[in-house]
């Protein structure tokens, strides 16, 4: 299994350093950035790795607006669910004031800051794990919480709270969340971190709707700080091919003050810090078998990377999996200076800000979508852009050759490039219409004064042209335009 983000500020003074945002959250009690979430070992198109909350065989999409006002409460947060189907989609908006959803919408809850999916109770319907890291739990201000919204034939209709097992030990519980079968028992497990701690709580053995998770353990991550910054993001996938999902944990490094990115192998008792491997720096990760060798490869986005002297230009590395785990010496790097990749590496592009794996052209091989939401374009400072790097025809890896470049001025994409749209604030591949090709969903969290928007990009079978689509806006979904909802800052992967 496996399931992906960071929120842009509504101005050119956006805070890029997750260190700064995480520390600010810890110190101010409410300035939570959207997690860089987790990315699936996707093979999109119609795939078992796509969320299907109503069991109809079509993939469903969940996207957050964690800074949305709900009943007048600022930053309470909402999640929009778009249910796929052969004849179109239907949309449902969920908050903590929705029937069946645990809790009550309150200011600063940030419901939907991160989310993940899995069939946690084993009933055949995917469920949605949602974090609300700003939730006040009793007298514990910003203690944070998480909830499972249960799938059914009618979609997501009820929920159960996953209570913090160590209240007051940390703040921001539910800031990063993830799902995967970490012990290989065939049941989807939960991994929940906190914004200011170096530990991750693992809930294993399935989850009962009445009694909760069967077992719980805690894993402490090497080198990640527990002095206020803590864990930023969680990701999962099987890099060593042993049938147990591994956990990738990203956070603030207490030894060099930058970024710590670790692979923790899955074991019969869950993810283990023993045998952990430090990965190349970067805070966005996805996993999937890009070279058809039976091992998930790890794709790392380092949007802060310096390329040709240009700081924050950004780079993406593909690290091969193997029977002994990730082979860090094998990394293949892509930048905007790579052959076949449109554009050129420039300061503050943030190439690799977000990424996702899936089959965009329907050839059965994984493709890689990469965003640079700081890309400056004609009439658009920080307008943002997205690339599709296709899997090679022989299935042996990702290539820049023949890649597809997309921005809001590309024919088939609604609207046009504008200042501070941050097109590519998140990206996700999903096949909601069941045609065998994954659509590329692009978030633009800065659109319309940081109301945000989601742009479905329908790539034709030629892999070069697009079929026109309609965007999803706050008005489309019924989200209040008060404040800065930032729709499109985080997809559930």
């Amino acid at each position: 299994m496996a399931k992906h983000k960071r929120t842009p500020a509504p101005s050119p003074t956006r805070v890029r350093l997750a260190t700064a945002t995480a520390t600010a959250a810890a110190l101010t009690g409410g300035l939570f950035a959207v997690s860089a979430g987790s990315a699936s070992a996707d093979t999109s198109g119609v795939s078992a790795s796509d969320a299907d909350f109503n069991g109809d065989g079509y993939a469903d999409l969940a996207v957050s607006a964690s800074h949305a006002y709900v009943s007048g409460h600022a930053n309470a947060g909402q999640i929009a669910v778009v249910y796929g189907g052969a004849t179109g989609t239907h949309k449902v908006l969920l908050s903590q004031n929705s029937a069946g959803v645990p809790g009550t919408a309150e200011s600063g809850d940030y419901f939907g800051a991160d989310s993940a999916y899995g069939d946690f109770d084993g009933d055949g319907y995917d469920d949605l794990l949602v974090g609300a890291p700003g939730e006040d739990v009793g007298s514990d201000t910003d203690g944070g919480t998480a909830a499972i919204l249960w799938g059914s034939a009618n979609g997501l209709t009820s929920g159960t709270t996953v209570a913090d097992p160590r209240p007051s030990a940390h703040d921001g519980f539910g800031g990063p969340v993830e799902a995967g079968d970490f012990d290989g028992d065939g049941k989807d497990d939960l991994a929940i971190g906190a914004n200011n701690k170096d530990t991750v709580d693992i809930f294993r053995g399935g989850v009962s709707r009445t009694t909760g998770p069967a077992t719980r353990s805690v894993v402490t991550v090497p080198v990640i700080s527990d002095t206020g910054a803590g864990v930023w993001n969680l990701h999962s996938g099987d890099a060593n091919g042993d049938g147990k999902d591994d956990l990738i944990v990203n956070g603030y490094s207490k030894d060099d003050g930058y970024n710590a990115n670790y692979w923790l192998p899955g074991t019969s008792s869950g993810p283990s810090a023993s045998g952990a491997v430090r990965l190349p720096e970067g805070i966005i990760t996805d996993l999937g078998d890009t070279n058809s060798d039976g091992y998930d490869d790890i794709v790392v986005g380092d949007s802060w990377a310096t390329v040709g002297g240009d700081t924050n230009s950004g780079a993406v590395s593909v690290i091969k999996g193997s029977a002994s785990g990730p082979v860090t010496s094998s990394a293949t790097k892509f930048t905007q200076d790579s052959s076949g990749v449109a554009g050129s590496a420039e300061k503050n592009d943030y190439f690799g800000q977000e990424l996702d794996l899936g089959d965009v052209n329907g050839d059965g091989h994984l493709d890689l979508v990469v965003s640079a939401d700081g890309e400056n374009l004609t009439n658009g400072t920080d307008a943002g852009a997205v690339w599709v790097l296709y899997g090679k025809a022989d299935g042996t890896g990702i290539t820049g050759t023949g890649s597809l470049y997309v921005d809001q001025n590309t024919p088939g994409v609604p609207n046009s490039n504008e200042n501070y749209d941050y097109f590519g604030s998140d990206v996700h591949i999903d096949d909601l219409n069941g045609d065998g090709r994954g659509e590329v969903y692009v978030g633009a969290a800065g659109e319309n004064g940081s109301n945000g928007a989601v742009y479905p990009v329908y790539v034709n079978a030629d892999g070069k042209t697009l079929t026109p689509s309609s965007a999803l806006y706050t008005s489309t979904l019924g989200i209040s335009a008060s404040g800065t909802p930032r729709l499109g800052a985080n997809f559930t992967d």
Side-chain angles (χ1 to χ4, degrees):
M1 288 288 308
K3 310 323 149 204
H4 230 61
K5 279 151 184 159
R6 193 173 72 242
T7 302
S11 76
T13 58
R14 62 184 301 182
V15 177
R16 282 288 182 171
L17 295 180
T19 300
T21 54
T23 303
L27 295 178
T28 63
L31 300 178
F32 285 94
V34 170
S35 168
S38 32
S40 171
D42 239 334
T43 53
S44 276
V46 180
S47 167
S49 67
D50 294 331
D52 184 3
F53 302 123
N54 58 5
D56 66 353
Y58 290 91
D60 304 320
L61 177 75
V63 57
S64 75
S66 62
H67 290 61
Y69 275 60
V70 179
S71 300
H73 298 290
N75 302 318
Q78 293 175 303
I79 282 188
V81 181
V82 182
Y83 292 94
T87 58
T89 62
H90 71 280
K91 307 167 188 68
V92 174
L93 186 63
L94 299 172
S95 75
Q96 288 182 291
N97 281 357
S98 299
V101 177
T104 301
E106 299 162 318
S107 295
D109 282 348
Y110 298 97
F111 178 79
D114 198 17
S115 54
Y117 71 86
D119 183 6
F120 303 121
D121 61 352
D123 67 351
Y125 299 98
D126 279 326
D127 313 305
L128 184 65
L129 174 64
V130 184
E135 180 85 20
D136 294 342
V137 183
S139 61
D140 187 8
T141 302
D142 292 336
T145 190
I148 297 175
L149 308 185
W150 300 107
S152 72
N154 296 316
L156 300 172
T157 57
S158 63
T160 299
T161 296
V162 181
D164 184 350
R166 296 176 289 126
S168 300
H170 46 220
D171 284 338
F173 180 76
V177 300
E178 179 58 310
D181 182 6
F182 301 116
D183 56 9
D185 67 353
K187 300 175 181 177
D188 287 336
D189 309 318
L190 318 178
I192 304 179
N195 291 135
N196 70 340
K197 206 68 177 172
D198 61 351
T199 54
V200 180
D201 288 280
I202 308 295
F203 301 86
R204 297 184 292 109
V207 183
S208 165
R209 297 193 183 199
T210 55
T211 60
T215 61
R216 181 185 68 86
S217 58
V218 179
V219 59
T220 301
V221 185
V223 185
I224 287 181
S225 172
D226 62 353
T227 58
V231 174
W232 298 337
N233 307 299
L234 300 171
H235 313 266
S236 67
D238 188 6
N240 59 3
D242 65 353
K244 304 177 184 67
D245 278 328
D246 313 315
L247 183 66
I248 294 177
V249 184
N250 173 267
Y252 177 70
S253 170
K254 59 188 174 186
D255 66 351
D256 58 19
Y258 186 59
N259 164 258
N261 204 22
Y262 269 89
W263 171 79
L264 277 60
T267 72
S268 58
S269 56
S272 172
S274 177
V277 174
R278 190 164 183 174
L279 300 169
E281 290 173 336
I283 68 168
I284 303 299
T285 309
D286 200 357
L287 296 97
D289 187 6
T290 65
N291 59 359
S292 310
D293 66 353
Y295 302 101
D296 280 350
D297 308 310
I298 302 173
V299 186
V300 177
D302 182 5
S303 59
W304 306 330
T306 297
V307 180
D310 292 315
T311 57
N312 302 323
S313 175
V316 172
S317 297
V318 181
I319 304 158
K320 292 180 181 178
S322 74
S324 56
V327 183
T328 56
S329 61
S330 73
T332 301
K333 184 174 288 188
F334 296 96
T335 72
Q336 287 191 68
D337 287 344
S338 296
S339 177
V341 178
S344 60
E346 300 166 315
K347 184 177 180 179
N348 297 334
D349 279 348
Y350 300 101
F351 182 81
Q353 165 75 4
E354 295 296 342
L355 53 84
D356 200 21
L357 288 167
D359 186 0
V360 174
N361 57 4
D363 67 353
H365 304 306
L366 287 177
D367 308 312
L368 174 63
V369 175
V370 180
S371 76
D373 67 350
E375 181 81 9
N376 293 337
L377 301 168
T378 303
N379 298 323
T381 300
D382 288 345
V386 168
W387 292 256
V388 181
L389 309 184
Y390 290 106
K392 296 178 181 178
D394 61 1
T396 58
I398 303 294
T399 178
T401 302
S403 67
L404 173 68
Y405 169 87
V406 178
D407 62 32
Q408 286 191 75
N409 283 355
T410 300
V413 179
N415 291 347
S416 59
N417 298 327
E418 300 168 310
N419 293 334
Y420 315 123
D421 277 350
Y422 302 116
F423 183 79
S425 56
D426 196 7
V427 292
H428 178 67
I429 303 171
D430 237 337
D431 183 13
L432 269 65
N433 60 13
D435 67 354
R437 299 193 306 275
E439 303 96 61
V440 180
Y441 291 89
V442 181
E447 183 75 41
N448 297 329
S450 290
N451 279 353
V454 173
Y455 295 96
V457 175
Y458 292 91
V459 182
N460 294 323
D462 60 11
K464 299 177 181 179
T465 60
L466 309 181
T467 296
S469 64
S470 298
L472 301 175
Y473 302 103
T474 52
S475 57
T476 309
L477 299 168
I479 297 170
S480 171
S482 298
T484 56
R486 299 175 183 174
L487 173 67
N490 190 7
F491 293 106
T492 299
D493 291 284

